């Protein structure tokens, strides 16, 4: 799934999270926030590639990443996720 430079409401992100099995998520340059990532991870533990550069993610959302046990590639450039996660 690719949502480049998109702006969704929280309800829009929740709706997007309901897509079928999706192993690659590219949400660069979006307003993806911690709660949105939580909804996506809950429905898609199969994610292997997650690109979330220049999003609104913080350490709270970063904690969700540990749940993605199949994750092979992660891009977090220019987010507020730190090594404290």
């Amino acid at each position: 799934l690719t949502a480049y430079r998109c702006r969704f409401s929280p309800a829009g992100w929740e709706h997007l999270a309901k897509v079928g099995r999706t192993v690659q998520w590219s949400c660069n340059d979006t307003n993806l926030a911690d709660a949105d990532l939580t909804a996506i991870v809950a429905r898609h533990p199969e994610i292997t590639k997650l690109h979330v550069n220049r999003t609104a993610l913080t350490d709270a959302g970063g904690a969700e990443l540990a749940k993605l046990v199949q994750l092979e590639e992660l891009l977090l450039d220019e987010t507020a996720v730190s090594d404290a996660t």
Side-chain angles (χ1 to χ4, degrees):
L1 181 135
T2 299
Y4 178 68
R5 291 189 175 173
C6 295
R7 299 290 180 256
F8 295 110
S9 67
W13 282 110
E14 180 68 27
H15 184 71
L16 196 60
K18 293 178 182 176
V19 300
R21 179 173 159 70
T22 308
V23 296
Q24 296 184 39
W25 286 75
S26 182
C27 300
N28 296 323
D29 294 301
T30 67
N31 64 334
L32 180 74
D34 298 330
D36 308 319
L37 182 62
T38 298
I40 291 168
V41 169
R43 290 181 177 266
H44 297 282
E46 74 276 5
I47 293 174
T48 59
K49 294 184 181 182
L50 181 64
H51 299 179
V52 289
N53 297 321
R54 293 170 298 282
T55 61
L57 293 179
T58 69
D59 285 339
E64 290 295 309
L65 301 174
K67 297 176 183 176
L68 296 174
V69 297
Q70 298 179 56
L71 190 63
E72 298 172 358
E73 182 175 294
L74 174 64
L75 301 179
L76 286 171
D77 298 351
E78 298 179 48
T79 66
V81 177
S82 72
D83 62 354
T85 303

